[in-house]
Amino acid sequence: MHLKADLHTHTIASGHAYSTITENVRAAALKGIELIAITDHGPSVPQGAHPWYFWNLKMVPSVLNGVRVLKGCEANVAADSDNGIDLPDLILEGLDFVAVGFHPTTGFDVPDRGRNTEFLLEVMANPLVDQITHPGNEDEFPLDLDAIVSAAVRYNVILELNDHSFDPHSSRVTSTGREREFAQAALAAGAAVSIGSDAHYALHVGRFDAALAVAEELGLAEDHIVNRSAEAVLAHLLGKRERPRLDAGGVWEWPSASEGGASW
Ligand SMILES: [Zn+2]
Ligand SMILES: [Zn+2]
């Protein structure tokens, strides 16, 4: 199975990631990835990007050297905001892709399944929200699986099977069983599923091996995975709502060395 889109990639704007948008796009192009979503951390995690960063993403190319670039976020569930997210709806509306997840230090560090589920259900009901990242993080942020999977079906929200969660060095590695259960329940319920790299370095863009092995075990076929191609991703997203700035950045080719540009 070769997935041609990656809906979860970070850049230096996340503070603890190490590549630029351009480097991530270049790595994607080299791997035959047709589309990536730039999903930097929202402002409530340490060194998370400022709201202005997300607002101004419209100036980044929409297509660079043939790779479709979705300007997105990995926002945080937030206890102290109007919409339960650490970016306001006004900013989310302008993004091409809105992912939301739980992360340390944002007000949910005491594991409380009931409270986490209540907040996340409110987030999922927001029509601007497209994807929940690593929902199976049982040890840090336990959730009521049935309630979240039902909400994913009801609101057409993608549940991510996160490749990085299976990395032995990941902070989420103790919860891989639960990540697997979420994917299995999503498949059984007919919820949309994606596989994301959660790349924090360019060469990790499009790295899905561990999650793909789990998908194969569970009988999750390519047809079930939203990020199987750029076309499938765009059809899913545009079926949910308009993306007003999708093409705002234009179609660009990096200048070649013969044109006086640095090599791509
Ligand atoms: Zn995350
Ligand atoms: Zn992430």
Side-chain angles (χ1 to χ4, degrees):
M1 196 184 320
H2 177 46
L3 302 177
K4 298 198 185 91
D6 190 344
L7 293 175
H8 194 161
T9 70
H10 293 273
T11 77
I12 49 173
S14 282
H16 59 273
Y18 308 96
S19 302
T20 63
I21 292 177
T22 305
E23 288 162 347
N24 281 359
V25 173
R26 181 166 193 258
L30 290 170
K31 289 184 178 183
I33 300 282
E34 305 169 335
L35 175 152
I36 62 170
I38 305 295
T39 52
D40 283 307
H41 285 294
S44 66
V45 294
Q47 295 186 296
H50 190 275
W52 291 1
Y53 170 81
F54 297 100
W55 178 256
N56 202 36
L57 276 170
K58 59 188 183 293
M59 68 181 296
V60 171
S62 295
V63 180
L64 178 55
N65 282 32
V67 177
R68 167 64 79 168
V69 184
L70 298 185
K71 276 56 78 63
C73 64
E74 186 183 18
N76 299 286
V77 183
D80 56 354
S81 76
D82 291 345
N83 64 356
I85 301 171
D86 67 344
L87 288 171
D89 283 355
L90 183 67
I91 287 183
L92 300 181
E93 274 167 17
L95 294 175
D96 305 328
F97 182 68
V98 174
V100 183
F102 283 101
H103 297 93
T105 77
T106 67
F108 295 88
D109 287 333
V110 177
D112 183 335
R113 192 181 309 279
R115 179 170 178 263
N116 292 347
T117 303
E118 187 185 320
F119 272 90
L120 190 58
L121 288 175
E122 188 200 328
V123 165
M124 294 172 81
N126 183 334
L128 300 171
V129 172
D130 298 307
Q131 170 170 281
I132 303 305
T133 53
H134 41 70
N137 192 358
E138 175 74 6
D139 287 353
E140 289 182 291
F141 306 105
L143 290 165
D144 178 333
L145 180 146
D146 291 336
I148 297 303
V149 172
S150 302
V153 174
R154 191 175 333 129
Y155 301 121
N156 199 14
V157 172
I158 303 166
L159 294 177
E160 180 199 40
L161 178 61
N162 183 290
D163 188 82
H164 182 62
S165 297
F166 296 90
D167 184 323
H169 303 292
S170 164
S171 60
R172 295 188 294 272
V173 75
T174 54
S175 296
T176 53
R178 189 65 163 176
E179 189 85 353
R180 193 183 296 255
E181 283 172 20
F182 260 95
Q184 194 161 24
L187 174 64
V193 177
S194 71
I195 290 180
S197 70
D198 205 355
H200 283 65
Y201 181 66
L203 292 177
H204 299 165
V205 172
R207 188 169 71 169
F208 305 125
D209 295 349
L212 278 176
V214 173
E216 268 165 43
E217 255 177 57
L218 298 178
L220 199 62
E222 197 164 304
D223 281 357
H224 298 129
I225 301 171
V226 174
N227 58 303
R228 60 188 176 276
S229 67
E231 192 185 355
V233 169
L234 293 172
H236 177 91
L237 297 181
L238 293 169
K240 187 161 162 144
R241 71 171 172 97
E242 282 181 39
R243 311 282 154 168
R245 294 178 175 174
L246 187 64
D247 295 313
V251 177
W252 291 78
E253 292 288 325
W254 196 263
S256 66
S258 63
E259 292 168 315
S263 69
W264 158 253

